[in-house]
Amino acid sequence: MNTYASTAPVETTQKLGKTGVLIVNLGTPDSPAVPDVRKYLREFLLDGRVLDIAATTRYFLVNGIIAPFRAPKSAKVYRELWTETGSPLKYYGEVVERELQKALGSDYVVTLAMRYQSPSIEAGLTRFQRLGLNSIIVIPFFPQYASASTGSVYEKVMDIIKSWQVIPEIKFINRFLEHPKFIQGFVQNGRKYMEKRAYDHYLFTYHGLPERQILKGDVTGKVCKLGDCCSKLHAMNQYCYRAQCFETTRRLVKELGISEGSYTTSFQSRLGRTPWIKPYTDEVIKELAGKGVKSVLAFSPSFVADCLETTIEIGDEYRELFEEQGGEHWQLVESLNDSPIWIDTLVDLVKTA
């Protein structure tokens, strides 16, 4: 007879801890004041994945030229963008943080972070570290993967957690351009304007990148031609930012029922003299107006929250350029911001991670 046998029921812990969800957007200055804008520009441009040049050159270029001279000009633009609730990008991020937490429930802890400035990724991860979480899911708010955006978030997260004694299971959401609800969110926003009037042309404009960054991503050195190679997304170019953007356009065009020949994919926000991915949005606008296009509906599917690049650059500056060239009606389709379908998209991404 085994005197050590127990008749007590065996108990197992089914749920040891919660899952942390770190949602990460690019970032914003703490205020539109020149010192805060300068601080933001320095952190952003000193990132080796953003300005991918020699570290010493980058340091002197950013601190000696770009930040000192660009900050006052950028501060003026940020003042135009700022609202009573502050930076739109940060405001929408805070709303999404609350709504996503409600939608996911008590088994999850949702925290907003910015790649640059506050709230920081380090602060979010430190919070998670102290909670004894089961796992962490990191969702960069970039629909298309790029080394300068999603890749930078990955690097920052890994740089922080590498010193932890205990590293929980960590999952990264690489991209979500293929998610049906992400596409449907922009479709819903676009249809609101399409139902009110007819447009001569539809423009899908994405944040640009230097061509060298796209070429460096082609580890074979044979696939990327910065041209028709982006006409289809496949295994060998699936991480090419340019190819992903064209794929996003194709999915949106299909759902919106836009006919061939009446839309264009382009890239904005280029800086410096080195070549950036083409076609350039400002040049496309001039060409469209020159061809007699009088009305344009513009989408910005590389941004999930309205910010300086959407509201000011696309919404105001490109409208002015279009009108100067003879255009009559320019309409920007708003980003997903804090819409219910964007919250649903994030819930799906978390649950299927």
Side-chain angles (χ1 to χ4, degrees):
M1 179 178 181
N2 185 355
T3 57
Y4 297 100
S6 171
T7 58
V10 176
E11 293 185 5
T12 59
T13 302
Q14 298 298 323
K15 187 71 175 177
L16 291 177
K18 300 181 179 182
T19 296
V21 180
L22 190 71
I23 53 175
V24 187
N25 212 331
L26 186 72
T28 178
D30 291 332
S31 82
V34 173
D36 283 337
V37 173
R38 184 180 295 116
K39 181 181 177 183
Y40 170 74
L41 288 175
R42 280 177 173 154
E43 184 180 1
F44 174 51
L45 295 173
L46 285 173
D47 184 342
R49 285 181 178 266
V50 173
L51 193 55
D52 55 332
I53 58 178
T56 303
T57 305
R58 180 171 62 247
Y59 178 85
F60 285 107
L61 182 62
V62 172
N63 289 295
I65 300 176
I66 300 178
F69 292 99
R70 187 175 177 82
K73 297 178 182 178
S74 296
K76 182 180 179 181
V77 180
Y78 273 111
R79 284 194 290 272
E80 296 176 28
L81 176 72
W82 232 250
T83 68
E84 293 180 356
T85 57
S87 163
L89 184 143
K90 188 173 182 180
Y91 167 75
Y92 286 124
E94 291 170 342
V95 175
V96 169
E97 178 187 44
R98 293 194 298 269
E99 293 303 312
L100 183 58
Q101 182 66 75
K102 291 178 186 176
L104 289 173
S106 59
D107 286 341
Y108 295 86
V109 180
V110 180
T111 296
L112 171 69
M114 298 293 173
R115 174 60 185 87
Y116 311 104
Q117 298 299 282
S118 60
S120 69
I121 291 177
E122 185 171 11
L125 290 174
T126 299
R127 179 192 181 200
F128 287 169
Q129 187 183 26
R130 295 168 178 169
L131 291 176
L133 298 176
N134 225 18
S135 61
I136 297 172
I137 300 172
V138 181
I139 308 180
F141 273 14
F142 311 116
Q144 303 85 16
Y145 174 88
S147 172
S149 53
T150 308
S152 180
V153 171
Y154 285 13
E155 183 175 297
K156 186 67 174 180
V157 169
M158 292 186 286
D159 188 55
I160 293 168
I161 66 171
K162 70 182 182 183
S163 62
W164 291 9
Q165 189 64 36
V166 176
I167 299 177
E169 180 181 30
I170 299 180
K171 301 175 183 178
F172 292 94
I173 302 300
N174 184 272
R175 67 173 188 243
F176 48 87
L177 67 93
E178 300 100 329
H179 197 290
K181 290 180 181 177
F182 164 73
I183 295 296
Q184 197 58 38
F186 275 101
V187 168
Q188 288 179 3
N189 289 347
R191 279 180 177 158
K192 290 188 301 184
Y193 299 102
M194 295 169 71
E195 290 170 357
K196 293 179 181 178
R197 62 168 297 156
Y199 287 88
D200 295 337
H201 204 82
Y202 301 88
L203 184 65
F204 298 86
T205 174
Y206 300 80
H207 197 285
L209 289 175
E211 287 184 352
R212 66 176 182 272
Q213 293 188 10
I214 303 298
L215 293 171
K216 285 197 297 186
D218 179 10
V219 295
T220 69
K222 300 177 181 179
V223 176
C224 184
K225 305 298 181 184
L226 295 168
D228 291 343
C229 51
C230 294
S231 62
K232 183 178 180 181
L233 198 65
H234 52 79
M236 297 309 296
N237 74 351
Q238 61 177 311
Y239 292 111
C240 168
Y241 174 76
R242 187 174 184 272
Q244 292 172 78
C245 291
F246 277 95
E247 175 66 14
T248 306
T249 295
R250 286 191 291 269
R251 289 172 180 263
L252 287 168
V253 164
K254 180 180 179 181
E255 293 299 318
L256 288 164
I258 297 173
S259 59
E260 287 295 324
S262 59
Y263 67 90
T264 303
T265 296
S266 61
F267 302 89
Q268 65 195 71
S269 307
R270 70 186 187 276
L271 295 171
R273 298 179 181 179
T274 59
W276 283 48
I277 51 178
K278 302 177 183 67
Y280 299 142
T281 299
D282 56 348
E283 293 183 359
V284 167
I285 291 171
K286 294 176 183 178
E287 291 173 4
L288 291 174
K291 293 177 180 178
V293 170
K294 296 298 182 182
S295 60
V296 171
L297 185 62
F299 293 78
S300 56
S302 55
F303 300 93
V304 297
D306 281 318
C307 54
L308 188 145
E309 285 84 353
T310 61
T311 304
I312 302 298
E313 186 174 11
I314 304 173
D316 293 339
E317 295 176 1
Y318 286 158
R319 173 181 53 79
E320 292 173 3
L321 175 62
F322 184 59
E323 292 174 351
E324 288 171 1
Q325 301 296 316
E328 296 176 356
H329 184 77
W330 176 274
Q331 178 63 57
L332 168 65
V333 176
E334 65 270 23
S335 295
L336 302 184
N337 295 327
D338 57 355
S339 60
I341 197 166
W342 174 225
I343 305 300
D344 289 345
T345 305
L346 292 170
V347 170
D348 285 354
L349 292 174
V350 169
K351 293 294 183 69
T352 59

